[in-house]
Amino acid sequence: MLDILTFCYTATEKRPIAAYSTTPDTPLDLRKQPITAESAANGQLTYLPWLTIFPLEMVRSYGKETIESAPAWHVEPLDDGSILVVCHNDMEWDAGCQDVAEYIGLPSYEEMG
């Protein structure tokens, strides 16, 4: 799945503002999207979802070293300077992203409640 996601992200000539995936238990609350027009303009997210590709602007905003050393299950630098972060591999969805979010300097979804 991660290979497919990174291929799709990097195969486009113009990269998306960000790419992310929430967990199945994340409530569908449109007021709590991880990226808004305002946060994108500032090179930031509103919170850290379970899976995120940080584009270059966000890597600059949060710091390459910080993102790459985050205590996430999977961190993968991409060829264009973007970084893929997957908080955990718990498919029971009991694990959260609080520790990774705090390390990067973002709130987690649980804190947005």
Side-chain angles (χ1 to χ4, degrees):
M1 178 181 101
L2 297 179
D3 289 340
I4 292 170
L5 175 69
T6 56
F7 173 78
C8 291
Y9 180 80
T10 58
T12 58
E13 188 173 317
K14 185 173 171 129
R15 302 288 187 263
I17 293 172
Y20 66 89
S21 177
T22 57
T23 63
D25 63 341
T26 303
L28 296 176
D29 184 342
L30 297 178
R31 295 170 295 160
K32 296 181 182 175
Q33 294 301 309
I35 190 164
T36 63
E38 183 179 340
S39 70
N42 293 318
Q44 298 184 340
L45 296 168
T46 58
Y47 69 90
L48 182 67
W50 166 69
L51 180 150
T52 307
I53 294 180
F54 288 85
L56 195 52
E57 294 99 20
M58 288 185 191
V59 169
R60 289 182 186 126
S61 179
Y62 294 108
K64 178 182 179 196
E65 293 79 20
T66 298
I67 297 171
E68 287 184 338
S69 62
W73 171 71
H74 184 84
V75 177
E76 180 180 344
L78 304 179
D79 291 343
D80 69 346
S82 300
I83 303 174
L84 167 66
V85 174
V86 183
C87 290
H88 59 78
N89 69 343
D90 178 7
M91 294 299 119
E92 297 296 319
W93 308 110
D94 292 329
C97 293
Q98 294 93 337
D99 56 340
V100 180
E102 183 178 315
Y103 187 89
I104 293 173
L106 284 161
S108 65
Y109 184 84
E110 295 83 1
E111 295 172 287
M112 299 296 290

